[in-house]
Amino acid sequence: MGVRWILVAVASAACSGRGATKPRVVEDAPAVAKPVVPAGPYKVDATFDKGDVQIRVEWKDVPVEARASAGRTACGTAKPAAVAPTTTWGIPDVVVMIDANHGKAMPASGSASGSGSGSGSTTRIGESRIVLERCALSPRVAIVESPLIIASAMEAPAKLTLAKLAPARPLVAPAAPTPQGTTIQLPIAGHEAALALDTDSITELRSDDDYAIAVVAPTPYYAITEANGQVILRDVPIGTFDIAAWLPARAGRSARTARGKVTVTAGTLAEVTLTL
């Protein structure tokens, strides 16, 4: 099923009082009902034994060229580097996944949490939103739910193209994207497009200068590493499972993957490091 998109006009409220300016009206952006965006977090069924898994992804001695900017954007800003490692080579924006069901039906949903501190705070799936601002898309990699909101913060009209990489499957890194010829027109700042993404899919959104990856995950046991290269997946069923990491191709650099295993015991935090 192809990607369907709806353009949503979001007009800023005019300032009150004398001298207030009228919001710019875009003729080709009719207002439609804005879809309700799920706020998470994942639901957790407490009827099975479970534990937490802290995942750290490293890429030691990342080449200098992979850490350098890939040039300048049309906005005059520096293009993001392919990789932004920490001083200890932790890698952010990596998709990690645990095959916690061994290909069988999931016993229940789990949850993803923060930066690996073990504080117990739970993060949400996110607002299922990607923003184009100053010629850059943010976040660059995200676990989302459909519909995905693409928001413009640009002063000029912008265009995005879509490519479906592959169905999202545990432990499977997608191949090169298959262009679909689908485009999204974002008139100006304050306008949004609502994308109805396929179930269990990985989609690439590309602007003239940047691109982002949106993952509609098939299980709750997917997450994106944070700035320190770590993330915690909570409420994982007990057992020994395969685990994988996928750093998408970007800035002219090829994708990288890593695999490993993790053993989860009830009420404990298992720690695993994957090296790209």
Side-chain angles (χ1 to χ4, degrees), residues 130-187:
I130 293 177
V131 179
L132 177 63
E133 183 175 13
R134 295 181 64 80
C135 298
L137 289 161
S138 178
R140 300 177 74 182
V141 186
I143 306 295
V144 303
E145 291 183 349
S146 184
L148 170 66
I149 304 302
I150 308 298
S152 173
M154 300 282 288
E155 296 181 355
K159 180 178 73 174
L160 298 180
T161 58
L162 305 183
K164 186 174 180 180
L165 273 66
R169 296 290 182 267
L171 309 181
V172 177
T178 302
Q180 294 179 306
T182 304
T183 61
I184 303 170
Q185 300 288 342
L186 294 176

Side-chain angles (χ1 to χ4, degrees), residues 72-220:
R72 310 294 290 185
T73 69
C75 298
T77 57
K79 292 183 178 180
V83 186
T86 67
T87 55
T88 55
W89 307 112
I91 306 298
D93 296 330
V94 178
V95 181
V96 294
M97 53 200 104
I98 299 175
D99 189 13
N101 62 334
H102 296 302
K104 301 177 182 178
M106 295 302 299
S109 294
S111 60
S113 85
S115 62
S117 63
S119 62
S121 61
T122 299
T123 60
R124 301 174 183 273
I125 222 177
E127 294 183 336
S128 291
R129 175 183 298 265
I130 293 177
V131 179
L132 177 63
E133 183 175 13
R134 295 181 64 80
C135 298
L137 289 161
S138 178
R140 300 177 74 182
V141 186
I143 306 295
V144 303
E145 291 183 349
S146 184
L148 170 66
I149 304 302
I150 308 298
S152 173
M154 300 282 288
E155 296 181 355
K159 180 178 73 174
L160 298 180
T161 58
L162 305 183
K164 186 174 180 180
L165 273 66
R169 296 290 182 267
L171 309 181
V172 177
T178 302
Q180 294 179 306
T182 304
T183 61
I184 303 170
Q185 300 288 342
L186 294 176
I188 54 172
H191 290 80
E192 299 176 344
L195 307 182
L197 300 180
D198 289 347
T199 301
D200 304 345
S201 64
I202 301 176
T203 302
E204 178 188 274
L205 299 91
R206 184 180 293 269
S207 68
D208 290 336
D209 294 296
D210 197 15
Y211 68 92
I213 299 292
V215 180
V216 182
T219 79

Side-chain angles (χ1 to χ4, degrees), residues 12-25:
S12 301
C15 299
S16 60
R18 183 175 299 177
T21 58
K22 295 182 178 180
R24 179 176 176 180
V25 177

